[in-house]
Amino acid sequence: MKEIIVQRKEGKKISDEAEWLPLADIKSTSRWQFGAKHVFKTVFHTADKNEYVYCTSNDAIMHLLHKDNGLIVVDRGRMGNLHHAEAIDYEKGKMFFDVKSDDYIEIIGEARKSAVKEYFQKLFGKK
């Protein structure tokens, strides 16, 4: 199913949370002037009378993607996919995708390292 990442629009406010909206659920669209002069967003109207706007918030998108698929925030604005991780070195703070070619992403901060450990255990049942 084809979907887009959106945020719910309620009156003049936009939710902080991102969600998936199936394209088949879109009944119509309209143009909405948001905030500053000459800033327009497309509003997606659904059959159940909800309104959504296309999500452009990196934090909201990362939070949504983090919920599934093995993606986890490793640093501000950066994510790594645990399903593609070949090895994780928690001491050095590196998630390796290919150890031989030294292909890795850095895991910044103890809190992030703990979150990676916890999510890895949740996904795969091991440390």
Side-chain angles (χ1 to χ4, degrees):
M1 176 183 290
K2 295 184 180 184
E3 299 172 312
I4 59 173
I5 298 176
V6 296
Q7 290 169 285
R8 187 179 296 266
K9 177 184 174 291
E10 295 173 359
K12 293 186 180 203
K13 295 194 181 230
I14 298 174
S15 171
D16 290 335
E17 297 287 317
E19 57 188 277
W20 294 103
L21 176 65
L23 295 179
D25 290 356
I26 298 171
K27 179 180 74 173
S28 64
T29 66
S30 61
R31 195 171 124 162
W32 174 53
Q33 187 169 346
F34 176 72
K37 203 173 190 180
H38 305 298
V39 176
F40 293 93
K41 290 191 176 266
T42 299
V43 177
F44 302 99
H45 305 275
T46 60
D48 56 1
K49 300 192 188 303
N50 288 317
E51 295 181 327
Y52 302 90
V53 294
Y54 183 73
C55 182
T56 57
S57 164
N58 285 337
D59 288 340
I61 291 169
M62 289 177 72
H63 184 72
L64 176 67
L65 295 178
H66 172 75
K67 290 180 181 178
D68 295 310
N69 306 317
L71 289 163
I72 186 156
V73 176
V74 295
D75 190 14
R76 186 172 178 90
R78 299 175 65 208
M79 298 182 89
N81 192 326
L82 291 172
H83 290 289
H84 293 284
E86 187 175 284
I88 299 173
D89 184 334
Y90 294 106
E91 271 186 39
K92 294 181 181 176
K94 295 181 179 182
M95 181 187 301
F96 288 92
F97 302 110
D98 187 345
V99 176
K100 288 180 185 173
S101 68
D102 204 31
D103 178 17
Y104 67 89
I105 189 169
E106 289 188 49
I107 306 167
I108 307 299
E110 292 304 315
R112 302 260 193 233
K113 290 176 190 175
S114 294
V116 169
K117 270 185 188 176
E118 185 179 307
Y119 195 37
F120 189 83
Q121 190 169 9
K122 179 181 165 189
L123 280 176
F124 305 110
K126 55 186 174 183
K127 293 182 182 180

